[in-house]
Amino acid sequence: MDDYRLIADGLAAEIADGRLRPGQQLPTQRAFARSRGIAASTAARVYRELARRGLTVGEVGRGTFVRAGQGTEGGLVALAEPATAPVDLELNYPTPPGQAELLAPGLAPLLRPDALAETLRPVGAAGTAAARRAFAGLVSTGAWQAGPEHLLFGGNGRQVVAGALSALVGPGERLGVEALTYPVVKAVAQRLGIRLVPLAMDGDGLLPGAVATAHRAAPLRAVYLQPRLQNPTGANLPAERAAALAEELRRADLPVVEDAIWSFLRPGSTPLAALAPERTVLVDSLSKRLAPGLTTGFAVVPDGLRERVAGALRSGGWAPSGFALEAAVRWIGDGTLAAVEAAKRADAAARQEVARRVLRGARLRADPCSYYVWWELPAAWRAETFVAAAARAGISVTPAAAFAVDPRSTPSAVRVGLASPPLPVLERALAALGRIAGGDG
């Protein structure tokens, strides 16, 4: 292997294990060459190689920075690593006051030796009959009723997304996604060898015509999207647009993975699965509804795709936890889950109000029900340098590059997660970010 690639591998490893943090500035190429005892031309090749892998970003007049949202060589996203900054506005796991007290009673019956022994047995992708009934009721709305026979389960939502994508899209094939998409999907696609195709969107979400345009250019195999409370923008597909999208998918004969993980914050919304049930795999989990430490991923899968998705979950070893599944059944049945969801809806609304008040005048896009805001930065700032400045102030946020499918069209924006810190800490952190944004980038 060429020397420059060996050096690039070493830097990639430092990025992967956190020794080089997102937003951190690298030395100038000249200084790097001197420190390593290599030629300036070799240093330039090292920096080009890091940029090619998606690990760094160069900013004219500023330097080279570690790209945020990168956790391993090749641009793979770190899926669930806690932020090292004291105030985490990056990961987004809501825990309103009193949640543990609400959940504890439902666990007590499972701690009896006989019940515990039963829940510790292996559980397959089909779950249990009780779980299929409970989760079908959980995701059903007035306009759409999920059949228990269509439910499949995994250990968490990421696993179910990965299972659905691996079942529908082969290596080298094309998956249409929103131009700004869930970073985990970018990582999963890279691991599976799936080629992501960015689909145009506006303030209301995905543009239906973008599917037809991309499919004409070269066939897509499937589409992945978040039609409600889209991450990171908070967009919600209007009913007319959702209907038009369903029709486009039928004309192209494309399956679609509908990620509904945040939909519980907008109860009663009609899912895409209600408009195109024969081709929609609706994916959800309990990580946001409850907590990541005791979660279950699940999917509503039409008959024609069920065996493919179930097979992918089995082959990936993505089985649900019997204990978590049984706990969820109890929490759904006794109303505990509904009470936690209601508490989180009130909590999200309160946090959005704080964000709007503290960041008044900033170019924010957010749904008043969501736990995050999309912040288009002032012209003086680039996202990576803003992230670095925030990190120096002890605050972690996520730059647009973590969500952008095409790095050439990455907006100068950041996503600010509102869920994790206590409200007073959140308010102070947002105020600090506002002061940083008002300074000279």
Side-chain angles (χ1 to χ4, degrees), residues 108-259:
L110 298 180
L111 301 182
R112 296 195 322 266
D114 58 330
L116 186 59
E118 186 62 28
T119 62
L120 296 181
R121 296 178 184 275
V123 180
T128 64
R132 291 192 294 274
R133 289 192 299 270
F135 280 80
L138 179 66
V139 296
S140 294
T141 68
W144 176 69
Q145 298 296 305
E149 69 279 10
H150 293 141
L151 266 289
L152 292 173
F153 299 90
N156 56 48
R158 294 187 181 97
Q159 293 178 358
V160 178
V161 167
L165 295 182
S166 64
L168 300 177
V169 189
E173 294 180 332
R174 290 160 43 95
L175 172 69
V177 297
E178 291 143 321
L180 297 168
T181 194
Y182 182 31
V184 168
V185 168
K186 295 171 62 177
V188 167
Q190 186 156 356
R191 287 183 172 89
L192 296 176
I194 293 171
R195 297 168 58 197
L196 294 184
V197 179
L199 304 177
M201 54 190 300
D202 63 12
D204 288 327
L206 182 66
L207 296 168
V211 174
T213 300
H215 195 51
R216 281 194 301 268
L220 300 174
R221 291 295 294 170
V223 172
Y224 165 91
L225 78 159
Q226 295 181 335
R228 286 167 289 168
L229 297 179
Q230 197 267 347
N231 182 13
T233 66
N236 295 285
L237 277 185
E240 299 81 2
R241 184 176 295 189
L245 176 60
E247 188 56 36
E248 287 285 0
L249 293 168
R250 283 198 182 91
R251 277 197 288 266
D253 193 23
L254 289 172
V256 57
V257 177
E258 176 182 9
D259 190 335

Side-chain angles (χ1 to χ4, degrees), residues 26 67 114 129 197 254 284 398 438:
L26 299 184
R67 171 168 279 170
D114 58 330
V197 179
L254 289 172
D284 203 337
T398 311

Side-chain angles (χ1 to χ4, degrees), residues 69-378:
Q70 307 303 325
T72 57
E73 181 193 348
L76 299 181
V77 180
L79 301 188
E81 294 300 322
T84 57
V87 181
D88 180 7
L89 303 186
E90 198 168 4
L91 294 184
N92 225 7
Y93 292 112
T95 308
Q99 176 172 304
E101 289 76 9
L102 284 170
L103 297 177
L107 293 177
L110 298 180
L111 301 182
R112 296 195 322 266
D114 58 330
L116 186 59
E118 186 62 28
T119 62
L120 296 181
R121 296 178 184 275
V123 180
T128 64
R132 291 192 294 274
R133 289 192 299 270
F135 280 80
L138 179 66
V139 296
S140 294
T141 68
W144 176 69
Q145 298 296 305
E149 69 279 10
H150 293 141
L151 266 289
L152 292 173
F153 299 90
N156 56 48
R158 294 187 181 97
Q159 293 178 358
V160 178
V161 167
L165 295 182
S166 64
L168 300 177
V169 189
E173 294 180 332
R174 290 160 43 95
L175 172 69
V177 297
E178 291 143 321
L180 297 168
T181 194
Y182 182 31
V184 168
V185 168
K186 295 171 62 177
V188 167
Q190 186 156 356
R191 287 183 172 89
L192 296 176
I194 293 171
R195 297 168 58 197
L196 294 184
V197 179
L199 304 177
M201 54 190 300
D202 63 12
D204 288 327
L206 182 66
L207 296 168
V211 174
T213 300
H215 195 51
R216 281 194 301 268
L220 300 174
R221 291 295 294 170
V223 172
Y224 165 91
L225 78 159
Q226 295 181 335
R228 286 167 289 168
L229 297 179
Q230 197 267 347
N231 182 13
T233 66
N236 295 285
L237 277 185
E240 299 81 2
R241 184 176 295 189
L245 176 60
E247 188 56 36
E248 287 285 0
L249 293 168
R250 283 198 182 91
R251 277 197 288 266
D253 193 23
L254 289 172
V256 57
V257 177
E258 176 182 9
D259 190 335
I261 192 169
W262 287 109
S263 61
F264 73 95
L265 293 173
R266 269 188 164 270
S269 301
T270 301
L272 190 62
L275 304 175
E278 78 287 355
R279 64 188 61 253
T280 303
V281 178
L282 184 143
V283 174
D284 203 337
S285 89
L286 299 185
S287 65
K288 307 300 186 184
R289 295 172 186 261
L290 291 177
L294 192 62
T295 189
T296 296
F298 57 100
V300 182
V301 186
D303 289 334
L305 300 174
R306 180 180 171 82
E307 285 307 312
R308 290 162 62 184
V309 176
L313 291 171
R314 286 192 296 268
S315 64
W318 295 317
S321 156
F323 186 87
L325 206 60
E326 181 58 28
V329 169
R330 291 173 180 269
W331 286 324
I332 293 169
D334 66 12
T336 297
L337 182 56
V340 172
E341 290 178 348
K344 291 189 176 183
R345 286 192 285 271
D347 183 55
R351 290 166 183 267
Q352 282 287 343
E353 177 57 34
V354 168
R356 287 193 297 270
R357 173 169 51 80
V358 174
L359 298 176
R360 186 183 299 110
R363 297 171 63 194
L364 304 180
R365 288 170 55 189
D367 186 284
C369 299
S370 77
Y371 268 114
Y372 40 88
V373 297
W374 182 247
W375 186 354
E376 297 178 7
L377 296 170

